[in-house]
Amino acid sequence: MSAGSLRNKALTALLISDPAQKVAAVAELSEMLVIDCHVEIQAPEGIPGRPPQPLLVPPQQVKPRSMGSPQGRAALIHSLAHIEFNAINLALDILWRFAGLPEDFYRDWARVAREEAYHFGLLEGHLRALGYQYGDLPAHDGLWEMAERTRDDLLARLALVPRTLEARGLDASPIVRDKLAGAGDLAAAAIIDIILRDEIGHVAVGNHWYRYECERQDADPITRFAELATDYRAPRLRGPFNLTARREAGFTDEELEALQQNAR
């Protein structure tokens, strides 16, 4: 494999621990790079690269705080920045890990990685304006834990990361935006608007390639999704669901009905 190929550069960026250096490396993932679609790459040590802080703790130890205080708003922005940092790594990981897909698969995930890096930069900048920096507060590792479980199964990765865990952001973003705006943090609310706009596209990428892989495997998308959610212990999603955003992201009416039935 060429050291300058898109997939190799994605793996190099994934291994970087420093957030600023990782963001800079992601910016170099040009659509003009050779992709080397069919090259199988052995997983190196050190995946994913991330800084020593934040301290990673169980989700129940990451306590929500009141939006009425600057500290509470900073805690929320910090948690969102952590999600976006993980999202950078997730896009990079699917890009290098799975060989044999069409070139557009890799270009799509390179674009997602660049946009996630942009989101992280926006949130980190706002966090600094509030007197904090990324790593100052504890965070949990739920997103990456699912990436670990699905590292050998592309269909499961597509079903349970972009279409499940990341799609939860479509549901949560309007609520988070309103809380921040209600607390007077209009700059943060505007960042959430940008993230929601882009995340609809990211979930749509997941939906597109999930259906592509279902077709390749002659699998029914709804039935197979339910099986994968059980096999890989995906969290049971609870409403309310942002059905408008989910439809824009490519979920069918049948999928949304199944989602709502399962939440009852």
Side-chain angles (χ1 to χ4, degrees):
M1 167 178 267
S2 165
S5 74
L6 179 64
R7 291 178 63 218
N8 192 69
K9 280 183 170 288
L11 178 54
T12 299
L14 179 61
L15 294 170
I16 295 172
S17 298
D18 179 81
Q21 293 178 21
K22 187 186 292 283
V23 167
V26 168
E28 296 180 3
L29 299 180
S30 166
E31 293 186 0
M32 304 304 293
L33 293 170
V34 172
I35 296 172
D36 285 345
C37 303
H38 297 286
V39 176
E40 297 284 349
I41 310 173
Q42 294 299 311
E45 296 294 324
I47 294 175
R50 50 190 170 190
Q53 300 294 331
L55 175 68
L56 299 177
V57 299
Q60 59 270 24
Q61 292 185 24
V62 182
K63 303 292 186 183
R65 302 188 192 181
S66 169
M67 290 296 96
S69 69
Q71 295 84 357
R73 293 195 296 278
L76 175 57
I77 298 300
H78 187 277
S79 69
L80 296 174
H82 182 66
I83 289 169
E84 296 299 327
F85 186 79
N86 267 303
I88 298 169
N89 284 337
L90 290 167
L92 295 172
D93 191 72
I94 200 171
L95 212 169
W96 81 265
R97 185 177 293 275
F98 298 101
L101 281 300
E103 288 190 358
D104 282 348
F105 175 89
Y106 303 103
R107 292 194 181 98
D108 280 349
W109 290 110
R111 174 177 59 81
V112 170
R114 291 193 300 268
E115 291 178 355
E116 302 290 18
Y118 171 57
H119 299 165
F120 175 77
L122 291 175
L123 290 165
E124 186 189 37
H126 192 65
L127 190 62
R128 288 180 181 277
L130 295 173
Y132 294 79
Q133 59 183 351
Y134 178 58
D136 281 352
L137 300 170
H140 70 80
D141 204 28
L143 271 173
W144 189 259
E145 286 173 1
M146 184 58 75
E148 283 287 340
R149 291 182 209 166
T150 59
R151 64 185 179 273
D152 297 320
D153 187 336
L154 174 60
L155 190 62
R157 173 68 65 88
L158 291 165
L160 302 178
V161 175
R163 299 183 79 246
T164 300
L165 298 183
E166 293 187 289
R168 294 171 79 173
L170 305 185
D171 307 322
S173 286
I175 299 169
V176 171
R177 186 212 180 278
D178 289 348
K179 284 183 177 179
L180 289 166
D185 196 337
L186 300 183
I191 293 172
I192 301 303
D193 286 336
I194 293 169
I195 292 174
L196 177 58
R197 177 200 68 196
D198 292 344
E199 291 297 339
I200 289 171
H202 300 174
V203 176
V205 168
N207 270 321
H208 171 76
W209 291 110
Y210 173 74
R211 294 200 177 91
Y212 170 89
E213 192 63 14
C214 280
E215 187 173 340
R216 281 213 307 182
Q217 298 185 21
D218 194 26
D220 175 74
I222 294 178
T223 302
R224 191 71 185 109
F225 178 83
E227 294 168 347
L228 291 166
T230 299
D231 292 346
Y232 288 92
R233 309 185 309 280
R236 186 176 180 182
L237 301 185
R238 301 289 186 183
F241 300 112
N242 187 344
L243 298 180
T244 299
R246 283 177 174 267
R247 286 191 180 96
E248 287 184 51
F251 285 97
T252 66
D253 288 341
E254 292 80 7
E255 287 171 327
L256 294 176
E257 178 60 29
L259 176 70
Q260 293 174 93
Q261 288 283 351
N262 191 54
R264 290 172 188 161

